[in-house]
Each structure stands twice: as C-alpha cells, then as structure tokens.
Amino acid sequence: MPACRPGNDEDDGQASDDEVGDEASDTSAQPLVTYHADIRPILETNCLGCHSEGGIGPLALTSWAEVEPFAQLMAESVAAGTMPPWLPDNTCRSMRDSFALSPEQLLAFEQWVEDGLLEGDPADYVAPMQEPPPALGEPDLHIEMPEPYAVNQDLVDDYRCIPVTAPFEEDVFVTAVNVDPGRDELVHHVIVYLAGQNALDELEMIDAAEEGPGYACYGGPGISIPDIVSMWAPGFGAVRSPEGAAIRIPAGSRMILQMHYNTVNATEPGVADASAVDLWTLPAGEVPDEVINFVLFSNKSFELPPGEADYQVETEMGVPATGTLVGVAPHMHTLGTSMSADLPGFDAGQSEPDACVVDIPRWDFNWQNLYYFDESEWVDLDYGDVLRTRCSYDTTSVDAPVGYGDSTFDEMCVFYAMMAMPWTPGEQGLCGPAAACVNGCSEDDIDCFLTCIKTSGTACFACGLQQISACAPQFCLDSIVPLVECVTGDACPTESDTCLPLQCAAEFETAWDCLAPHVFAGECDADLAECGLALGG
C-alpha cells in the first residue's frame, strides 16, 4: 500500500519544467488509493459478514453506491479501532482466525482519506485471495429453540437465556460449533452454556419463573457453575477446536443459548427469532486425545467507587490444574474500558518473563468473543502457576459503588482460560471419567487429583471440591477450619479454586495431607456420589 508521495524541490518554491517532467515520468510514483483497487477487497474480507443486506450491521457496504455516503465515517471508525470489532491486540499473542486489519490495510484507509476517498476504476478491482475455512460437512446435531422467541423491541439490547435441550443421554465430544441465527438483523452475539446435572433443578426454577421461552439474563445464565461450550458473533463462522481436541458435554447436562438481540435494525413489530446451534461431534465410541476446559479466573470481591475515569482492579490467581493454555474468553460489563492478563515471572522457552496472555486495550461489551491462539503461541501451565489479570473501568456515569454480579448494573472481571488436558476415558456423566484418572494419582499429588476432576469439566470440579469439603470435617476438622477461613476470608478475593494453589496453598496442603488417605480409600464416596464419582476399591 502507498506510504508516501514524491516531493517537490523547494529551493525557490516552484518546481522547474524539467523537474515536473522528471516527476511525471518517475515510475516509482505510487498510484492513488481508491475504493475499487484497495478498499473494496478489504471490506469483502473483513466486513461484509455484518455489513450486508439483512445483516446485523446498521448499513450495507457491498457496493460503491452504499459505501460513498459513509466513506468518511467508515474511515474514521477504522482509524479509531472500533471497526472491524476485533478486540485483542494481536501483538500480545497472535490469534487464530483474526479479522483485525493489518498495518498495511490500516495504512490503505489512511491514505484513501488523504487522496480524497476516491472511487477509482471498477476494472482495477481484484478479488481478494481468501483461504476457505476447513470443510466441516453437515453438522452431526442441529439443535433448535423449543419455540420462537418474540424479541422485546422496547429494549435496544434484549438478553435472553433459552434452554434448548433436554439432558443429554450420553457424553458428546464437540469438535466445532456454529450458531444459525434465525434473524440475522437482530442476533448480535450468542454464548452457548451448559448446565451440569447438579444445576438442573436451579435452571428449571429460573426458567419456570418467566412466561415464554427462556428467561431474561445479562452477565451469564444465572445458574451456579455453568460451563461454556462456545461463543458466536456475526462474521466469525463455526468455532473449531484445535486438532485432536474436543469440548465434552457430559451426560445429564442441558444446553442454554444466551441470546443478545440488538433491535436497532428491526423492520417490523412483533418479530420472533428461532435461532439454532449446529454441533460437529466425534462418532459414538470415539474419544479425543485432549478435552478443552474453561478454567475460570475471576475476581469476585472488588468494589468500584463512583466518579473514577480510570479505576483499575489487579488480581493474582493460582492456576488450579495442569494443561496447555490454547485460548481465552475475557468478559466484563459496560463500565469496562480495557483488560489484560499475563503470567508474571513466567518463562516457557519462547516466551519472555511476564508473558502476555491477552491484551484488550478497548473493551466493548457488545463484541466479546472467545479467541484461540495460533498453535505456536500455546503455553504449558502447571498447577500453582500464577495468572495476573487487570481490568479498568470508567465509573463517571454512576453515583454509587458497583460490585461483582450478573445483572446489568453489576460488573465483572473474568477471564475464561481455555486449557487442553489429556483425556482419560471412563464412565459417562458429570464426573464419571475422573475416577479412572484419579486412580493413577498418588495420594500426595494434589495437582494430579485436581487436574483429573477439572478435566471432566467445571461442574465436576466444583461438585468434587464441594462434596469433599462436606466429607472432610469428620476426619480432619482441625486442618479444614483454617482452609475454610482462608478461602472465605479477605485473603481470597477470587473463586476459591484459584486461591487453593496460591493465597491458601499452605492451608490446602495441610488439609489435603490429612484428608487424601480417606478420599482415596473411598470414605468420602457417599458424598461424592452426588457428582457421580466413586474412588473406593
């Protein structure tokens, strides 16, 4: 792309005839940047997933007639970084499937403005060379809403959680996910959640409390310990797991679609949406080499004071299981302005100390997504490694403190780390496979035990820790009390499981030394039965 223009000899303020002639014949002079030659291919590659007729974008950009009235606005949005809406800074850690503009493409827009936002000659257009996405074939499961949902057009943004399945009868290993929006002009983004079998009663109660399909939701699905399957936004297409890996849906789980509808483009009243989700799965009986689990790093103890233009929350959390970090899904609400995560003091050979995990310099709640790293950027993490998160907020629009929570008026500072973990086949269900994995652990290996139950999913991990805690007092009361005081006190500002290997490491190790022989002997199996986990011989 052109970066400069030939200059004039300014000795007398005028160019001589010879100089003008020399300049006119200078073959190194760069052509003007035009829509057809330079901008149109960029739009087709990076923008038309939203900005086409009937898309979620507020205007179509498929022709010069559509582009010309908005050319200046479009260039300003590109310069400001608001379009295209790719949030991570790829210089932190390069991302797979990025549609962020390259430096050369940004320069093309900048030069297009300087050259006068010219249309150019349609004959100069060359179709962009786009590598087609991997062929997935027909989906193995097509899951539809139980009934269409009438979008609430009294709201600009309508958030609705809709359970879309009965409990799965068998474990399912998902290799790719795609959302099939019923109304392209309304469906802004979707998060696919799972409710484990230990949260089904809670889900049924919340769902039954409201008429119509599903229930109103905002920051999350409103149930305890949800798992994430995938996220989707216009232009992203199917989200594929890394080769050889899959996301496990445990038998007994239910799937929930958290729908974000934006009603700005609604063309008629009473519009109903009937979106669906497509899943590509491993054939029955096949298992992956690794499963992808979402490890939650979340500060739940902060309070944001009102009237602050740049209030920061920084937190260090312990990695609660061993695996390979392959991606991340950051999450805040609308007061958030930026967020980042790094690994302080970490050195993984190719990474520098304080290795950057993700950097989002301009947070936008409306364009959040999950991001897989390029394979060369994966990081092996061990139990006890430290993840440091930073979230910045602008609270000048509120007049009271804001704390953590799911509602519109709460805030979050959440990083879902996608970790690949080797899969050990076993019984189906919430924690069924974990027993076979745990049987290979020694009693003094906390890391092995926690990784085994985490590999079976967030719901299994939470259930296992909860039920072991219920069992513990009868055997190890003296060591359990200090641990409970640590994870429920000021020393632990985060989820309890990320405090165990860091802020509460000493208390946890002492308690585990006492409790592990009882757990491995099966003396806690009566409690663990709720999780589908039995460890006794």
Side-chain angles (χ1 to χ4, degrees):
M1 293 299 173
C4 57
R5 291 291 181 270
N8 292 330
D9 186 328
E10 298 183 352
D11 286 347
D12 58 2
Q14 298 291 329
S16 66
D17 291 342
D18 288 342
E19 288 169 333
V20 171
D22 289 344
E23 182 176 303
S25 63
D26 185 355
T27 58
S28 68
Q30 297 292 331
L32 298 174
V33 172
T34 68
Y35 163 74
H36 286 294
D38 306 286
I39 303 303
R40 180 179 166 189
I42 299 174
L43 297 180
E44 292 179 356
T45 302
N46 298 77
C47 306
L48 297 192
C50 295
H51 292 281
S52 298
E53 186 66 32
I56 192 68
L59 51 93
L61 299 172
T62 58
S63 68
W64 174 247
E66 293 171 337
V67 166
E68 184 180 19
F70 302 102
Q72 183 67 43
L73 175 62
M74 183 172 66
E76 290 173 355
S77 298
V78 168
T82 57
M83 286 288 149
W86 179 264
L87 301 186
D89 180 350
N90 289 349
T91 63
C92 164
R93 191 167 294 271
S94 60
M95 305 286 184
R96 194 189 76 185
D97 304 323
S98 171
F99 55 77
L101 298 189
S102 68
E104 293 78 14
Q105 291 171 324
L106 292 171
L107 183 60
F109 271 94
E110 180 182 335
Q111 196 62 57
W112 188 41
V113 173
E114 291 188 16
D115 290 345
L117 300 170
L118 302 174
E119 175 188 7
D121 187 344
D124 293 335
Y125 166 73
V126 176
M129 296 292 292
Q130 299 187 61
E131 184 176 344
L136 292 171
E138 291 298 313
D140 300 297
L141 292 174
H142 180 75
I143 300 170
E144 299 181 345
M145 289 183 179
E147 61 179 291
Y149 169 64
V151 179
N152 185 354
Q153 295 186 35
D154 292 334
L155 303 173
V156 173
D157 294 290
D158 183 11
Y159 296 90
R160 195 78 179 175
C161 284
I162 301 179
V164 292
T165 65
F168 283 78
E169 296 181 358
E170 298 180 340
D171 284 5
V172 174
F173 293 96
V174 177
T175 57
V177 182
N178 189 50
V179 170
D180 181 12
R183 303 292 303 217
D184 288 337
E185 76 279 16
L186 298 177
V187 180
H188 192 283
H189 81 261
V190 181
I191 303 178
V192 185
Y193 283 103
L194 280 183
Q197 65 185 45
N198 50 342
L200 296 186
D201 290 344
E202 187 181 10
L203 175 62
E204 185 175 349
M205 181 181 65
I206 297 173
D207 189 20
E210 294 189 34
E211 295 182 358
Y215 53 94
C217 60
Y218 181 70
I223 60 170
S224 303
I225 52 176
D227 247 326
I228 289 181
V229 176
S230 189
M231 296 183 182
W232 177 91
F236 271 78
V239 179
R240 298 168 289 111
S241 298
E243 188 71 26
I247 293 171
R248 174 176 174 255
I249 298 178
S253 302
R254 293 188 66 186
M255 185 175 289
I256 306 166
L257 299 186
Q258 185 194 42
M259 308 295 301
H260 171 194
Y261 297 104
N262 183 278
T263 62
V264 169
N265 294 333
T267 56
E268 55 186 296
V271 173
D273 173 64
S275 292
V277 60
D278 291 324
L279 304 179
W280 287 260
T281 66
L282 294 181
E286 285 191 21
V287 297
D289 298 326
E290 296 179 303
V291 290
I292 304 296
N293 282 297
F294 289 77
V295 180
L296 177 61
F297 293 91
S298 173
N299 185 326
K300 301 181 70 171
S301 301
F302 64 83
E303 184 174 79
L304 308 178
E308 296 284 342
D310 185 24
Y311 187 83
Q312 297 189 5
V313 174
E314 180 176 307
T315 315
E316 289 192 350
M317 289 169 269
V319 176
T322 291
T324 301
L325 180 64
V326 298
V328 66
H331 178 72
M332 291 194 293
H333 293 176
T334 54
L335 296 179
T337 57
S338 66
M339 60 192 314
S340 65
D342 63 11
L343 299 163
F346 189 82
D347 188 354
Q350 78 278 13
S351 301
E352 296 296 326
D354 293 357
C356 185
V357 171
V358 65
D359 181 21
I360 296 181
R362 187 193 56 80
W363 170 254
D364 188 334
F365 178 81
N366 293 316
W367 291 106
Q368 59 186 303
N369 217 300
L370 62 80
Y371 308 98
Y372 278 111
F373 306 141
D374 287 337
E375 186 172 352
S376 61
E377 299 278 11
W378 293 356
V379 182
D380 292 327
L381 295 179
D382 294 322
Y383 169 81
D385 285 336
V386 177
L387 182 77
R388 178 172 57 199
T389 65
R390 296 184 183 90
C391 293
S392 298
Y393 305 87
D394 181 351
T395 63
T396 55
S397 63
V398 299
D399 55 10
V402 177
Y404 177 93
D406 281 335
S407 81
T408 307
F409 304 106
D410 296 324
E411 261 301 339
M412 287 189 174
C413 179
V414 171
F415 293 79
Y416 289 98
M418 292 179 280
M419 293 181 66
M421 301 175 180
W423 179 247
T424 303
E427 297 296 324
Q428 298 205 16
L430 186 67
C431 287
C437 180
V438 170
N439 285 336
C441 300
S442 61
E443 292 182 6
D444 61 350
D445 194 342
I446 298 175
D447 173 12
C448 182
F449 180 83
L450 292 180
T451 299
C452 283
I453 61 173
K454 180 57 189 174
T455 299
S456 287
T458 299
C460 170
F461 190 85
C463 187
L465 289 181
Q466 182 181 39
Q467 295 310 115
I468 287 174
S469 298
C471 170
Q474 63 182 308
F475 303 115
C476 305
L477 182 61
D478 289 345
S479 58
I480 289 297
V481 169
L483 177 59
V484 171
E485 290 176 346
C486 183
V487 298
T488 58
D490 293 339
C492 181
T494 69
E495 302 286 343
S496 61
D497 53 302
T498 57
C499 286
L500 296 180
L502 187 61
Q503 292 93 342
C504 302
E507 292 84 354
F508 184 40
E509 290 172 9
T510 299
W512 185 252
D513 286 344
C514 173
L515 186 58
H518 302 282
V519 172
F520 278 83
E523 295 176 69
C524 291
D525 282 1
D527 293 286
L528 288 171
E530 183 173 325
C531 313
L533 183 61
L535 302 177

